[in-house]
Amino acid sequence: MAYCLGQIFAPKGEPSNLRFTRCFINFDTETQLNLKLKNFIDAMRASMIGRDEEIETITLALVAREHCCLIGDPGTGKSFVVGNAIKAMSATNFQILMTVFTTPEEVFGPYKLTPLQQDQYVRNLSGRACEAEIFFADEAFKSSSAILNSMLTMMQERSFDNGGKRIKCPLRTMIAASNELPEPGLLDAMYDRFILRRLVKPLPKPMRRQLLTAKFPAVTPVCTVADFDQAHTAAMALPVRSDTLDTFEKIWGLLEQKGIKIGDRRAAKAISVAKAAAYIDGANAVRIEHLSCLCDVFWTSIDEIAEVKSIVLRESNPDEIVLNEYAEAIATFDENFTATLKDKYAMSNALAKMQCVLENCATLKQSPKRDAVAEAAQGMHDRFTSALSGQSVETIKRLRAMTEARRRQLADQSA
């Protein structure tokens, strides 16, 4: 059973390779553990609309046990999607909204009075970040340097210095949300530890009506942290094929040629993310196409996103770029549908374009993304056929279904 992530219609103004990027989490291996992860994704997708890629990014972070950051304008649902993830996996968590006035005591706990009288700085860690399995820091980059320095050790080593003793923290993943990227300099070390970064955009226009009218169910626990721990162990044990490593090194080199620097630590962590993608896909090894998840790993500034996605997708999954272009064409036809109806030549041209998309999709490697694009192209084809013929869309669909059934029948008879 395949599980499709992503949507065709993305906000206007983005390059085609930014529309409809990664597209699938595959559960062909029907293990109980995979089903639990599927339930996790299902619960989150049912609770919101248009955030499939953000859900995928968080799922990758949880399986890879890496940290992730959601960056976007206020009101785009960053905190909402993180909160739903925490609810769906029933994790012990600590959540806080950071400001320039947030103190270390609010994050790590106040000093205990008795040890303080003996000149010992021991914090009461109960109920604070050091005891959380998931740490959600909203507006994380606005915190003070005192907090940031303590966070670095937690994020990298999963430990915390308390009263001269280094204690282990149960932290699996830290998720940050921010309205803006941090200023270069002081926060570079912390920002670099967020291996997965996702730019969150407002919902595209075709989804706004559903956002206003749909009733989304509340999220309830469907899996546990232990499930993700097992997934992490299994994912990290997956082998990486040699051709995948060759492609990884090629991507790394091409990005460096474009002036996009990738540190050794980030490169090593990127392999862990690719292993998580392969595990979620139900694969028994990391294949080249699993490197497409690195679109969220290798960029640092907003200006680098388009270049990173272009290079990563071109080398790891060329079909993605073709499907992105088709998705953009379908979105354009959808947006200009009413205007196109006034020109029969434009309608005929659009109909031919959709037919071409359908025929070309049939030659591409099967994937949920390809199927989604083909389905959207068929829907647009039916709409234009309906407008040209004067028949309803339902009639067009019924006639097409009858024709396809007859074609299959004749094929069976000839065989």
Side-chain angles (χ1 to χ4, degrees), residues 45-115:
R45 292 186 77 236
S47 67
M48 64 194 79
I49 180 177
R51 294 302 171 206
D52 289 349
E53 291 186 344
E54 287 73 22
I55 293 170
E56 183 182 357
T57 297
I58 291 174
T59 305
L60 283 171
L62 292 171
V63 174
R65 204 176 287 178
E66 297 295 347
H67 310 299
C68 71
C69 181
L70 304 180
I71 302 165
D73 295 334
T76 49
K78 301 184 297 296
S79 301
F80 185 67
V81 68
V82 176
N84 284 349
I86 292 172
K87 293 175 184 176
M89 67 185 299
S90 187
T92 59
N93 64 92
F94 180 76
Q95 305 179 44
I96 187 170
L97 174 62
M98 297 289 194
T99 71
V100 292
F101 303 106
T102 302
T103 64
E105 286 72 25
E106 295 176 75
V107 181
F108 305 111
Y111 288 114
K112 294 181 178 180
L113 294 180
T114 301

Side-chain angles (χ1 to χ4, degrees), residues 110-121:
Y111 288 114
K112 294 181 178 180
L113 294 180
T114 301
L116 194 59
Q117 293 173 349
Q118 302 172 2
D119 296 330
Q120 296 178 3
Y121 294 91

Side-chain angles (χ1 to χ4, degrees), residues 10-20 199 201-202 309 328:
K12 288 291 290 180
E14 294 182 353
S16 61
N17 63 333
L18 296 187
R19 296 170 178 252
F20 200 12
L199 185 64
K201 295 279 191 176
K309 288 190 175 182
E328 180 171 329

Side-chain angles (χ1 to χ4, degrees), residues 2 20 67 94 142 156 246 330 346 361 393:
F20 200 12
H67 310 299
F94 180 76
K142 292 183 179 178
Q156 184 64 26
D246 292 340
I330 296 168
C361 279
V393 173

